[in-house]
Amino acid sequence: MNSIADNICAVRQQIAESAARCGRAPDSVRLLAVSKTRSADELRQACEAGQRAFGENYLQEALDKIEALKDLALEWHFIGPIQSNKTRPIAEHFDWVHSVDRIKVARRLSEQRPAGLPPLNVCLQVNISAEASKSGCLPDQVAELAREVASLPGLRLRGLMAIPEASGVPAEQRRPFAALRQLLEQLREELPQLDTLSMGMSGDMSAAIEEGATIVRIGTALFGPRDYSRPNP
Ligand SMILES: *Cc1c(COP(=O)(O)O)cnc(C)c1O
């Protein structure tokens, strides 16, 4: 099996190639290493290979790793579902949150963001394929939510995030990413500071980059398949 360092190198190469194919600069796409279920030691290896930004889904697991790795200058992104009674540790320990989908959570994160830290970077999660079972606000709710979130002093609204239904067909992969990009373009008429499209995972990162992703969230292609039977690290 390849080492984490080899995988990071290969994924960065793939990002650069996808960006080049559509005339984008390679550094216009950031690699977020999705490290759920991975041990602090695996994150340390990724950091040694030059990776700084890590995405976590489960709060307690993330807090344990943030504590274990506090000697490193890492950037932490919360990308999982948010319970409104668990916002305080997110506001205190993360640099970004990609999964804000309702105003109640946004208000709490803003109020609970410590005064000594810069505003928390936030993306609104959109249920772009409108599946009832998934989290994320509906596309026709996003403008109102964005307006309210943009006015909260503890937050800095950066853009939109989506997790479309997986498809192995490249032409189908692009459709929901194009829809998210169009939604961001509409919002930017009112909120021109928005600069982020968080979209694309291991199986569909090229399609996402071709539709304008500025952050791709990659787990499996960096760390190998996840094993949920292991106890949390
Ligand atoms: C797990 C996860 C990813 C990474 O998925 P891979 O297919 O392993 O690259 C990206 N985004 C979110 C929100 C996730 O939960």
Side-chain angles (χ1 to χ4, degrees):
M1 207 167 103
N2 288 338
S3 72
I4 291 170
D6 291 340
N7 292 342
I8 288 176
C9 201
V11 167
R12 288 194 182 283
Q13 181 74 27
Q14 192 182 337
I15 290 171
E17 283 166 11
S18 300
R21 260 202 305 280
C22 51
R24 300 183 58 196
D27 64 1
S28 64
V29 186
R30 291 191 72 200
L31 171 57
L32 179 64
V34 174
S35 44
K36 58 178 179 242
T37 78
R38 304 301 168 173
S39 67
D41 185 56
E42 289 170 291
L43 275 71
R44 206 172 270 283
Q45 290 173 44
C47 177
E48 277 162 19
Q51 183 63 32
R52 287 288 177 278
F54 292 89
E56 290 280 341
N57 296 59
Y58 309 110
L59 185 57
Q60 191 52 54
E61 179 192 333
L63 295 173
D64 292 346
K65 282 182 245 182
I66 291 171
E67 174 64 23
L69 298 169
K70 64 177 184 228
D71 57 311
L72 304 175
L74 302 181
E75 187 181 283
W76 294 99
H77 295 233
F78 193 79
I79 63 173
I82 303 170
Q83 288 170 255
S84 57
N85 62 345
K86 300 252 176 80
T87 49
R88 185 176 296 279
I90 297 176
E92 290 176 346
H93 295 283
F94 285 80
D95 302 293
W96 282 74
V97 179
H98 295 228
S99 43
V100 171
D101 63 1
R102 54 201 196 278
I103 190 64
K104 180 182 180 189
V105 160
R107 286 202 190 107
R108 292 177 62 97
L109 288 170
S110 178
E111 282 161 16
Q112 293 165 346
R113 183 66 169 171
L117 295 179
L120 182 62
N121 295 291
V122 160
C123 290
L124 304 180
Q125 183 174 351
V126 183
N127 185 348
I128 200 69
S129 344
E131 299 140 56
S133 59
K134 284 232 184 92
S135 37
C137 72
L138 293 174
D140 64 4
Q141 301 169 330
V142 78
E144 190 185 341
L145 181 59
R147 228 168 271 136
E148 289 190 64
V149 171
S151 74
L152 296 172
L155 307 184
R156 179 174 171 205
L157 181 62
R158 299 296 296 266
L160 302 178
M161 178 273 230
I163 316 172
E165 189 114 66
S167 166
V169 184
E172 280 172 27
Q173 286 179 348
R174 285 181 68 152
R175 201 175 313 125
F177 295 140
L180 196 71
R181 173 171 51 76
Q182 282 158 15
L183 215 45
L184 185 76
E185 281 165 11
Q186 281 166 21
L187 289 179
R188 279 169 50 88
E189 290 173 13
E190 206 179 321
L191 300 165
Q193 71 273 28
L194 302 190
D195 61 3
T196 300
L197 275 174
S198 167
M199 59 188 197
M201 319 204 312
S202 295
D204 55 15
M205 74 176 118
S206 293
I209 291 168
E210 285 161 22
E211 291 298 344
T214 64
I215 300 181
V216 288
R217 308 180 310 268
I218 309 297
T220 309
L222 297 179
F223 298 108
R226 282 179 287 278
D227 180 359
Y228 286 100
S229 66
R230 285 197 309 192
N232 273 353

